[in-house]
Amino acid sequence: MYIVIGWIAVRIAFGHDSQQADGTGAVHELGRTPAGEVALWVLVVGFFGMAVWRLSEAAAGPPERDKRKAAFQRLAALGKAAVYAVLGYGVLKYALGVGSPKSSDQQSVDLTATLMQHPGGQVLVAVIGAVLAGAGVFLAYKAWKKRFLESMNLAGLRRQTRRIVEWLGQFGGIARGVVFVTAGVFLVVAAVQAQPGQAKGVDSALRSLAATPAGPWLLVIVAIGLIMFGLFSCCEARWRKV
């Protein structure tokens, strides 16, 4: 998914694609390929597999002696399971031809508008945006410091292969963090201005990077980073400690 989203974003940067650079756009992009039907079902199985894996983590708990930290990790695993289940359900509907998942932009606007209809909703949206931006900074920092190596088993790899994995994880993780920060900032802006339409999903967050003084090249750099994170995810599937 990250590889396809990154590739769409690269084409957007050069004005060659109107496809959405998010999960929905990636699903549509895959659906147009000759092997698209197979790819979609691979995604369905993969997302639901990730959901079950995270559920097992939430149920069994991590090997953590600190009870508070363990409880937080179990709660985080439960939240991730819900996200993967929703993603899997959206792709499943598209694969069956009975619907298409909403774009990240539409989901963000709908959720923001719904929250703002309730007392304190504007503040809640601002808090969510700040948390999302903070999470992006944290993800980028962890990637820069190569914290992902703690959960990887790379001891038996050749030095050159290990460097490639580290490089993919470091710069790919930073790019993912940039997208989170950008989306979070837009949520805060939407809350401050009381305009749900200002909320942005992954697609608009990426497109906004092309509107900076750096021009489309900032979007190209982040897009390549997302492709790198997708490749790193493949490395995780092979060498992650489970």
Side-chain angles (χ1 to χ4, degrees), residues 112 116 122 188-198:
T112 302
M116 285 188 178
Q122 191 171 344
V188 174
V189 171
V192 172
Q193 297 182 355
Q195 296 179 355
Q198 292 293 328

Side-chain angles (χ1 to χ4, degrees), residues 12-166:
I12 288 174
F14 293 105
H16 299 318
D17 204 322
S18 59
Q19 186 71 272
Q20 292 172 328
D22 58 10
T24 301
V27 169
H28 291 171
E29 183 77 8
L30 288 172
R32 296 189 303 185
T33 63
E37 186 174 350
V38 175
L40 290 175
W41 284 105
V42 168
L43 281 179
V44 170
V45 174
F47 279 132
F48 282 120
M50 289 289 288
V52 173
W53 174 41
R54 293 301 187 181
L55 279 175
S56 69
E57 283 191 324
E64 180 64 54
R65 294 183 178 181
D66 188 331
K67 292 184 178 181
R68 290 185 178 180
K69 188 174 181 179
F72 175 78
Q73 291 180 351
R74 293 177 75 164
L75 184 62
L78 185 61
K80 291 177 182 179
V83 171
Y84 286 124
V86 170
L87 289 172
Y89 178 69
V91 179
L92 176 62
K93 289 199 305 180
Y94 187 74
L96 293 173
V98 296
S100 174
K102 288 185 178 181
S103 69
S104 59
D105 289 338
Q106 190 60 53
Q107 290 176 348
S108 184
V109 171
D110 289 348
L111 177 60
T112 302
T114 300
L115 291 175
M116 285 188 178
Q117 291 176 358
H118 301 283
Q122 191 171 344
V123 174
L124 181 58
V125 171
V127 171
I128 293 174
V131 170
L132 187 60
V137 172
F138 180 66
L139 289 173
Y141 175 77
K142 284 180 60 178
W144 179 254
K145 291 294 185 178
K146 300 182 181 179
R147 296 279 181 84
F148 54 85
L149 293 177
E150 298 173 3
S151 61
M152 301 284 284
N153 184 17
L154 306 178
L157 294 184
R158 292 183 300 174
R159 180 180 299 178
Q160 187 63 29
T161 304
R162 181 186 174 93
R163 285 181 178 177
I164 291 174
V165 174
E166 291 181 3

